[in-house]
Amino acid sequence: MSIQKIAVIGGGTMGNGIAHVAAMAGFSVTLVDISDAALERALGTITKNLTRMVSKEKITEADKEATLGRLTTSTSLEAIAPEADLIIEAVNENFELKKKIFQTLDAAARPETILASNTSSISITKLAGVTKRPDKVIGMHFFNPVPVMKLVEIVRGLETSDEVYAAIEQLSRDFKKVPVPVNDSPGFVSNRVLMPMINEAIFCVYEGVGTPEHVDEVMKLGMAHPMGPLRLADFIGLDVCLDILNVLYEGFRDPKYRPCPLLVKMVDAGKLGDKSGSGFYDYAK
């Protein structure tokens, strides 16, 4: 199963990172978003990150220009789908939005095209179920920042074929990532373990056990975490954390995944972490 042309749906933090590593690995990449302005921002981020790599002597200026030369953009799912061997969806963690995209791609793409999702918690089997190609649907869960983080959690749906899994495992290695296979379950492995820890750290603040700074210091100094759970939550986005916890709570019907009321209030107030300028910490400066 040969993969040469890749399309990435969504030019946000994860999407532009995936496009970056795919183009740097030598693949022809089309990045898709809803507006030219969003695509310009995404290309600006990719260019800035490549420039930083040049300044750190990780790549050459020629490498940077070659990578950018392999990138194109589009605002039309229907236009890019017939040309792609693999399409990676990387939009917000919202099932209805992903469902609409997968149905559109399924209708427009060639029968042999693989459809992948960068979802961090939503069932791959459920996404595959809205298509006529469930054997060719798979999860590729990248981690932020994509150009730096090595892991790709590869999620097999109920009907994902061995051939598709093998192709995506090899592609992940071509991206210079480490593929780790997991079976389809709410939150997979990464967020099933991580999000309850973050949620419990938020409960510690909510119940007055410690300040955000103190909770993070305990975890950094006592458990050798490079980043405290509340700082990490801000980095991920508190809205994203809430979405994932809701998926876990709905998927398992287990109260241990119930989102802390403080997290819900902060998201309602627009305090989302780094991207909004404030969360458990203030980023205005």
Side-chain angles (χ1 to χ4, degrees):
M1 186 173 287
S2 176
I3 296 174
Q4 301 296 327
K5 294 184 177 181
I6 298 172
V8 179
I9 313 303
T13 300
M14 299 305 294
N16 71 59
I18 295 167
H20 172 146
V21 298
M24 209 163 84
F27 294 89
S28 174
V29 181
T30 302
L31 184 59
V32 184
D33 212 311
I34 58 174
S35 70
D36 290 330
L39 290 167
E40 285 175 16
R41 286 193 299 273
L43 286 177
T45 298
I46 294 169
T47 302
K48 182 176 71 174
N49 289 337
L50 288 168
T51 300
R52 184 182 298 117
M53 294 178 77
V54 172
S55 69
K56 292 183 177 180
E57 299 184 347
K58 292 184 176 181
I59 61 172
T60 66
E61 186 67 29
D63 293 331
K64 169 188 165 182
E65 294 305 321
T67 297
L68 291 172
R70 288 188 283 268
L71 277 165
T72 57
T73 62
S74 176
T75 56
S76 171
L77 293 176
E78 291 87 350
I80 60 92
E83 299 297 320
D85 302 311
L86 166 68
I87 305 174
I88 306 172
E89 167 272 313
V91 303
N92 295 339
E93 203 71 348
N94 178 298
F95 175 73
E96 290 303 319
L97 175 59
K98 291 179 188 288
K99 175 182 174 181
K100 183 178 178 181
I101 289 170
F102 267 72
Q103 288 174 329
T104 300
L105 294 174
D106 187 44
R110 303 191 314 273
E112 64 271 22
T113 297
I114 299 171
L115 303 182
S117 177
N118 179 58
T119 179
S120 55
S121 60
I122 292 171
S123 168
I124 296 301
T125 301
K126 190 174 179 180
L127 285 173
V130 308
T131 76
K132 294 181 175 64
R133 62 181 84 200
D135 59 316
K136 293 181 175 64
V137 177
I138 195 165
M140 291 185 77
H141 181 203
F142 293 83
F143 291 77
N144 184 29
V146 179
V148 175
M149 300 295 278
K150 291 294 186 184
L151 175 63
V152 178
E153 204 175 23
I154 304 181
V155 188
R156 297 186 70 142
L158 184 64
E159 296 184 65
T160 304
S161 72
D162 291 341
E163 184 184 18
V164 165
Y165 173 80
I168 296 304
E169 183 181 58
Q170 182 56 54
L171 182 77
S172 300
R173 293 196 177 100
D174 293 340
F175 286 179
K176 293 185 169 51
K177 303 298 181 188
V178 178
V180 177
V182 300
N183 289 319
D184 195 17
S185 180
F188 317 131
V189 170
S190 56
N191 282 318
R192 184 171 176 175
V193 174
L194 174 64
M195 286 301 155
M197 182 188 73
I198 286 176
N199 199 41
E200 199 62 32
I202 298 171
F203 267 110
C204 285
V205 175
Y206 179 60
E207 295 170 0
V209 179
T211 66
E213 292 83 0
H214 293 156
V215 171
D216 280 353
E217 282 296 290
V218 166
M219 298 304 291
K220 287 191 294 181
L221 300 179
M223 285 71 183
H225 291 195
M227 184 185 293
L230 299 171
R231 175 68 193 94
L232 179 57
D234 277 355
F235 180 68
I236 293 168
L238 300 188
D239 52 338
V240 176
C241 292
L242 180 58
D243 286 344
I244 295 170
L245 282 164
N246 280 329
V247 169
L248 289 167
Y249 187 48
E250 291 165 12
F252 290 111
R253 302 294 180 183
D254 190 325
K256 73 181 179 182
Y257 299 112
R258 176 179 67 91
C260 177
L262 177 58
L263 175 61
V264 176
K265 284 183 179 180
M266 291 179 73
V267 172
D268 286 346
K271 296 171 73 68
L272 308 180
D274 293 39
K275 59 187 168 187
S276 70
S278 68
F280 287 101
Y281 298 92
D282 184 6
Y283 305 100
K285 296 179 181 179

